Amino acid sequence: EPRRRRRGVTLMVGRVESIAAAICLTVFAGGLIAMSCTLSSNEASQNGLKVTRSFPSGHHHADAASPKDGDPDHSLGGAKELVVASMNIAACQPSQSAPPGWNESNSTAALRGILLGLDADVIALQECPGGARWARDHFPGYRVLGATYSHADQVILLVRDGLKSPSAPSGERAVTGLPAVIAELELGSRNSLLVASVHLEPFERGDRKRQSQMRSLLDIADSKSSPILILGDTNMRDTEDEAMEDELGLQDIWKLAGQRDESRFTWDTMDHRNEIEGVFNRYYGSGTRQYQRRYDRMYFHGANKAKMEGTPTFELIANHPMTSKLDFLSDHFGMTSRCSLSFSSE
């Protein structure tokens, strides 16, 4: 948090071969949205979009998907598989260790390539330099479900386009003062899941505010009797784990995935050059403060409606240098996960 907070996260929800899924998306944009980034009336009407998706063999292609018949319940042995990604993209500003001539356009193109290459169903972004229009321009094959301001630039949520996406009669709901965009995904005819992209209160002293913001998200999920998947730059410290897990009942996907050391820190500005193939994310140049944190997180709350099936994956993205051992695309690393959800039958 040394500059005007720029951080990122990434979630992915599942790639399933030869399967068509009906996804109903209802979007809630939190906070005040400037006129320049406010969704148009057409975008607002797309707030409960029904999307029929196809899953061709191999990777999805963001700009070319071919229809295939499949299980309309988007199920795999009764479970719903999702791939999600999240990242604080630091407004696509070049690292101070980037070479001369490397500019915002270069960083944007590199980040876009990484994120589209993830083959994610859901992408959560924080510290975006533009709103819905910017996201549409740079992420073909994805629908922008909403954009809102946080304490640093904008929070955006994208969901992969389907072959058919007729609008559904559902209106936009703003969550005043909440730095989050939330969408309801209908996985099959009876199962739904809320997904949120968030950029929570910064700084160590913001722990109580962060807990209040997370509680507000859970209140929304509770009002809809829906499980929720929360992705993004939470700005949390390890001392907040107990409040999140024991008091709020959230499941930390990094921990569910085995809490591996190599995927622990989404902020790592330590100088590792004395290690084999070591690097140093010197994003702020000579003024870079060296420390490690797990600021970016993925949380799941089943609300007695759904649970994680098996062990999810959790990997870091954009955690490798670009043009030198000092040059990274953001001060944050992104995240991606593949997880399967099983829903309780009523």
Side-chain angles (χ1 to χ4, degrees):
E1 295 150 355
R3 57 169 184 172
R4 55 181 289 277
R5 302 314 309 137
R6 290 184 170 170
R7 313 225 133 55
V9 186
T10 312
L11 269 179
M12 295 166 79
V13 189
R15 171 179 36 189
V16 182
E17 294 187 357
S18 304
I19 296 176
I23 299 181
C24 178
L25 306 152
T26 306
V27 177
F28 311 100
L32 298 175
I33 301 177
M35 197 61 117
S36 63
C37 73
T38 303
L39 299 179
S40 68
S41 58
N42 283 340
E43 291 168 322
S45 71
Q46 291 170 348
N47 198 7
L49 306 168
K50 284 188 177 177
V51 180
T52 302
R53 304 173 40 209
S54 70
F55 298 84
S57 297
H59 290 278
H60 301 320
H61 297 285
D63 54 357
S66 58
K68 290 199 175 186
D69 293 330
D71 181 355
D73 255 350
H74 188 183
S75 62
L76 231 126
K80 317 296 177 182
E81 188 180 75
L82 301 169
V83 177
V84 295
S86 174
M87 185 171 179
N88 180 326
I89 62 174
C92 296
Q93 290 300 305
S95 167
Q96 291 184 28
S97 298
W102 185 277
N103 56 30
E104 182 178 332
S105 295
N106 298 127
S107 289
T108 300
L111 282 163
R112 175 183 179 275
I114 290 172
L115 290 166
L116 290 177
L118 291 172
D119 200 24
D121 297 301
V122 176
I123 298 177
L125 298 178
Q126 303 83 46
E127 294 198 22
C128 296
R133 179 178 297 177
W134 177 89
R136 278 198 307 271
D137 289 344
H138 290 95
F139 292 91
Y142 285 85
R143 186 175 302 279
V144 181
L145 298 183
T148 190
Y149 280 103
S150 68
H151 59 276
D153 292 313
Q154 297 187 52
V155 180
I156 287 177
L157 182 65
L158 305 102
V159 172
R160 180 182 297 283
D161 272 345
L163 296 176
K164 296 179 181 179
S165 56
S167 59
S170 178
E172 187 177 23
R173 175 180 175 184
V175 185
T176 303
L178 194 61
V181 177
I182 309 173
E184 182 177 9
L185 280 63
E186 187 175 290
L187 305 177
S189 58
R190 292 175 294 179
N191 302 319
S192 64
L193 170 72
L194 288 178
V195 178
S197 174
V198 305
H199 193 189
L200 304 185
E201 187 75 7
F203 308 121
E204 187 170 6
R205 65 178 181 270
D207 56 340
R208 291 184 181 274
K209 179 67 172 179
R210 288 190 287 273
Q211 186 171 353
S212 173
Q213 290 171 332
M214 292 292 277
R215 193 179 298 277
S216 294
L217 290 169
L218 292 179
D219 286 345
I220 294 171
D222 184 63
S223 71
K224 301 181 72 63
S225 298
S226 174
I228 186 169
L229 191 58
I230 301 169
L231 318 168
D233 181 358
T234 64
N235 278 312
M236 289 181 185
R237 279 68 175 168
D238 289 347
T239 53
E240 298 172 64
D241 288 7
E242 183 177 351
M244 294 300 110
E245 297 166 26
D246 297 341
E247 296 180 27
L248 298 184
L250 291 162
Q251 292 180 287
D252 186 329
I253 291 182
W254 172 73
K255 292 183 179 181
L256 292 177
Q259 47 191 0
R260 296 177 299 118
D261 286 342
E262 56 266 36
S263 61
R264 181 185 188 94
F265 299 115
T266 62
W267 176 288
D268 185 353
T269 51
M270 296 294 292
D271 189 347
H272 297 283
R273 287 177 295 176
N274 62 341
E275 304 169 12
I276 298 176
E277 298 184 354
V279 296
F280 178 18
N281 185 359
R282 203 176 67 166
Y283 190 79
Y284 299 103
S286 59
T288 299
R289 185 161 65 95
Q290 295 190 40
Y291 71 102
Q292 297 169 311
R293 291 288 186 275
R294 198 163 66 92
Y295 286 138
D296 306 280
R297 304 193 178 193
M298 296 181 177
Y299 279 117
F300 176 70
H301 189 274
N304 297 319
K305 297 287 186 179
K307 65 179 181 179
M308 287 285 173
E309 191 76 21
T311 302
T313 65
F314 185 95
E315 305 291 342
L316 296 179
I317 60 172
N319 60 330
H320 298 289
M322 298 294 293
T323 63
S324 74
K325 291 187 175 183
L326 306 177
D327 177 21
F328 286 73
L329 285 172
S330 175
D331 47 2
H332 288 253
F333 301 147
M335 312 171 288
T336 183
S337 176
R338 176 191 298 274
C339 53
S340 294
L341 303 179
S342 61
F343 290 81
S344 59
S345 57
E346 297 181 348

